Amino acid sequence: MNRCVKLLFAILTTLFPFTFLQAQHLVFLDHRPDTAVLQTYIQSYNIGSAQDLYVRLNTGKSLVEELQALAPEFPKDELIKHGNYQFRFLIDGKVIYKEDLGPGAILQKDKLINKPLDVVLASRTRSGLWSINLWDRFLSGGGAAVSGKNTSNLTLELRVYLDNGGLVYSGLLAKGILKVTTIPQAIDQTKIAPQVIQPGSGWELSKAKYNKALITEMNTKIEDQTYRLINGIVVIKDSQLLLEEYFNGEKRESLHDPRSVTKSITGTLIGMAIQDGFLKADQQQLKDFYPLKDFQNYSTTKDSVKLADLLTMSSAFDGNDDANVSPGSEDNMQETSDYIKFALNLPMDPKKTNGKQWSYFTAGMIILGDILEKSIPGGVESYAKRKLFDPLGIDQYEWFRAPKDQPYMGGGLKLRALDFAKYGQLYKNGGLWKGQRLIAEQWISKSFDHLQTLPPDRPGFYGYLFWNKAFNVNGKAYEVYYASGNGGNKIYIFKDQPLVIVVNASAYGRGFAHAQVDQLMEQYIIPAVR
């Protein structure tokens, strides 16, 4: 490498140990000891653009060395379990957002090695990273709104913290300053006004009035990416199609991946199988279906897990998708080649009691799906077609597949937005579709009942694989039952309003996904159509 280039790189690293990088100019060379990574530094960034944004962390010490300064007596492996970096985002000197990274953020090897760490904050192609979610939470926490269309100074400050029965923080270790703007991207003017509903929807069209100005404003913000990766919105009012909006290249015939919305459909199929006599009741226990002594971690607690416990996410399995360290998380399951064996091999959590506490457990859906597969002649896929999709007139769909080519009952069943609306309307109708009973009314009631109270970070209740909460609009509460999936996918069924609302979105793994849909509902959709 040219000696002058290496010298310049060394000077920049010394003067700007914590600075922003432009990913498309990030050049990786051969990683021999005599080479370095060349990077182009930027001084300004447009939040409204699709430009990637990286940051280089370099305090001159590894994370574990910084933590040792707070607690020299602690062993390294304990330090990294109880501490990490703290990020503070300031706009023009005012703290807008701060976050203590959880111990699971940043790879362990990167915590132990003293080297600059490049992390991505915004990316067009990557998702699900702790750093991207951090950036998204800063934006949804007020960052985008405060900076506005004018240029502001964004300061990013770095500290470390340690939680040893009480939080302890270091002093300021590094900071970087970047000029930011939120100039919106070019807008497709043909998608600003409410879109004209084309013939052939399969729905009777509504003649109800709605606030077109609010929908126009909402569409503008979706198009300029204030609300990101919103792909479809359908509103059914009084069983008629009122609004049908598509964005980001999607259209009526697009099959959309709703992720965990599929869990609610799994619950529907369990209810139908009980109604048809293939299953006896929701109180049946796992020992009725499996010789659990043939699996690992046998216990009578596992024997006594009821279908109802899995339907309410309240079994005592040691599984929680929201906890990185959980042995039964969906991420751990998807690294295996036999999902049902993985689920039934799991230990039981001695701190849990079947039916008494809620934790998000996708592996439970695999068990429910396998029980359906074993109990219904011809299997669950043909049963779903015959008993649910065909009666609803749904002929375009695509199952996500688990190993062994079984339908994955935990997520990924692709449908059209209008067909998600049919499913929602079926529940709104109490299980009836065009005069035909598809689901027992009692099952709908259980699905919507407040069977489990959700934790504080997810206010509301949980029934049989349906969520429940209330939106507040101008001081009035609007209670909804809803199916929900990663990325911001929703089917809302209103309790006291003649409304079913579908939102399809693809903000998978993004920290803003669900919060922005809440904003769309409270600020635009409900006020426009109620």
Side-chain angles (χ1 to χ4, degrees):
M1 178 184 293
N2 183 287
R3 181 177 299 176
C4 292
V5 172
K6 291 179 70 176
L7 178 60
L8 176 60
F9 179 80
I11 293 172
L12 285 171
T13 302
T14 301
L15 293 178
F16 304 100
F18 187 75
T19 188
F20 293 90
L21 312 172
Q22 190 175 17
Q24 53 264 51
H25 293 162
L26 193 65
V27 180
F28 293 92
L29 303 178
D30 188 11
H31 285 253
R32 295 191 301 260
D34 60 340
T35 65
V37 180
L38 292 178
Q39 298 168 334
T40 301
Y41 297 88
I42 62 173
Q43 288 75 44
S44 62
Y45 180 76
N46 175 21
I47 291 175
S49 73
Q51 182 183 10
D52 288 356
L53 181 65
Y54 280 63
V55 63
R56 160 160 286 194
L57 310 182
N58 183 13
T59 69
K61 295 181 181 179
S62 67
L63 172 61
V64 72
E65 288 174 327
E66 297 288 3
L67 292 171
Q68 280 181 316
L70 295 179
E73 71 281 6
F74 269 56
K76 290 183 179 180
D77 58 344
E78 286 299 313
L79 287 169
I80 59 178
K81 289 179 182 177
H82 299 282
N84 209 323
Y85 289 115
Q86 184 203 59
F87 285 82
R88 291 190 186 187
F89 295 83
L90 298 84
I91 295 289
D92 295 331
K94 180 181 179 182
V95 176
I96 300 301
Y97 183 75
K98 61 183 178 180
E99 181 175 321
D100 298 343
L101 293 185
I106 304 180
L107 296 175
Q108 181 167 328
K109 65 182 181 67
D110 290 330
K111 297 178 180 180
L112 302 175
I113 299 174
N114 179 14
K115 67 174 185 178
L117 179 64
D118 293 335
V119 297
V120 57
L121 296 178
S123 172
R124 292 159 293 179
T125 58
R126 304 178 70 180
S127 65
L129 301 178
W130 66 264
S131 50
I132 291 177
N133 290 334
L134 171 71
W135 178 254
D136 287 339
R137 286 190 289 271
F138 154 65
L139 293 180
S140 62
V146 172
S147 58
K149 294 184 179 180
N150 299 319
T151 301
S152 304
N153 286 321
L154 168 65
T155 301
L156 187 51
E157 296 183 345
L158 188 70
R159 295 169 174 81
V160 295
Y161 78 93
L162 185 65
D163 187 355
N164 179 27
L167 289 171
V168 181
Y169 295 89
S170 72
L172 179 64
L173 299 176
K175 71 176 182 179
I177 300 176
L178 184 70
K179 293 187 181 298
V180 293
T181 57
T182 53
I183 302 171
Q185 300 183 79
I187 296 173
D188 184 349
Q189 296 295 330
T190 64
K191 294 186 177 179
I192 298 306
Q195 297 168 27
V196 176
I197 297 176
Q198 300 301 316
S201 68
W203 290 84
E204 183 179 347
L205 299 189
S206 174
K207 297 180 181 179
K209 294 182 179 180
Y210 62 90
N211 189 326
K212 293 185 178 181
L214 270 180
I215 298 302
T216 297
E217 183 179 341
M218 177 189 75
N219 289 356
T220 301
K221 290 192 174 184
I222 293 173
E223 285 294 326
D224 72 15
Q225 297 300 305
T226 298
Y227 296 112
R228 290 172 281 171
L229 301 171
I230 300 293
N231 300 325
I233 297 173
V234 168
V235 177
I236 307 298
K237 187 171 186 178
D238 289 313
S239 302
Q240 298 174 327
L241 179 58
L242 179 63
L243 282 173
E244 184 184 13
E245 308 284 323
Y246 299 105
F247 311 92
N248 298 316
E250 291 223 353
K251 52 189 178 182
R252 175 181 287 174
E253 298 308 312
S254 298
L255 294 179
H256 192 84
D257 179 0
R259 300 295 172 92
S260 288
V261 165
T262 307
K263 290 179 170 68
S264 299
I265 297 174
T266 298
T268 301
L269 295 172
I270 291 286
M272 288 179 159
I274 292 173
Q275 180 176 302
D276 290 341
F278 296 119
L279 298 173
K280 293 179 182 178
D282 54 5
Q283 299 303 303
Q284 280 187 274
Q285 300 178 343
L286 287 191
K287 66 182 180 182
D288 299 333
F289 302 99
Y290 300 103
L292 290 172
K293 290 182 179 180
D294 295 345
F295 294 86
Q296 297 173 14
N297 299 300
Y298 171 75
S299 73
T300 56
T301 304
K302 186 182 295 187
D303 262 347
S304 60
V305 172
K306 299 182 180 69
L307 298 184
D309 301 332
L310 298 174
L311 289 162
T312 54
M313 301 264 186
S314 62
S315 73
F317 275 104
D318 193 357
N320 183 355
D321 293 355
D322 295 332
N324 293 331
V325 297
S326 172
S329 71
E330 184 180 22
D331 289 342
N332 287 336
M333 180 180 69
Q334 292 183 343
E335 293 178 0
T336 70
S337 60
D338 189 332
Y339 290 178
I340 186 62
K341 185 177 180 180
F342 168 89
L344 294 177
N345 277 339
L346 286 172
M348 308 308 284
D349 187 338
K351 298 178 182 178
K352 291 182 176 181
T353 302
N354 285 326
K356 296 299 183 182
Q357 67 293 295
W358 185 92
S359 57
Y360 200 69
F361 182 49
T362 296
M365 302 305 100
I366 303 306
I367 297 173
L368 290 176
D370 188 64
I371 288 172
L372 286 169
E373 188 74 20
K374 292 157 63 77
S375 303
I376 299 173
V380 65
E381 189 170 355
S382 63
Y383 183 72
K385 179 180 187 302
R386 185 173 70 255
K387 300 294 291 187
L388 181 63
F389 298 147
D390 285 351
L392 290 177
I394 298 174
D395 57 9
Q396 299 178 52
Y397 56 91
E398 182 180 318
W399 289 96
F400 183 68
R401 297 286 173 180
K404 301 184 179 180
D405 201 38
Q406 288 188 359
Y408 184 64
M409 307 307 289
L413 172 61
K414 296 181 180 179
L415 300 175
R416 303 183 312 154
L418 288 175
D419 292 335
F420 286 120
K422 289 180 181 178
Y423 174 73
Q425 189 64 45
L426 172 65
Y427 269 71
K428 180 67 175 173
N429 295 345
L432 292 172
W433 184 258
K434 295 184 177 179
Q436 179 185 1
R437 177 154 299 282
L438 303 186
I439 312 172
E441 190 170 10
Q442 183 183 13
W443 192 260
I444 302 289
S445 178
K446 285 184 176 180
S447 300
F448 290 167
D449 204 356
H450 296 178
L451 300 176
Q452 292 290 327
T453 300
L454 297 175
D457 61 334
R458 300 189 185 202
F461 302 93
Y462 203 76
Y464 274 6
L465 298 175
F466 269 85
W467 308 74
N468 172 267
K469 69 177 181 181
F471 289 111
N472 191 290
V473 179
N474 297 326
K476 181 176 180 179
Y478 293 84
E479 187 173 354
V480 292
Y481 315 106
Y482 64 106
S484 179
N486 189 351
N489 290 284
K490 311 288 180 182
I491 303 174
Y492 293 111
I493 301 139
F494 283 68
K495 179 180 180 181
D496 299 317
Q497 299 290 322
L499 292 171
V500 171
I501 296 175
V502 171
V503 179
N504 285 151
S506 54
Y508 304 122
R510 305 299 290 269
F512 61 83
H514 297 296
Q516 74 171 1
V517 175
D518 287 347
Q519 289 183 19
L520 284 173
M521 291 293 290
E522 291 187 333
Q523 297 180 18
Y524 295 101
I525 301 176
I526 295 175
V529 305
R530 60 180 176 166

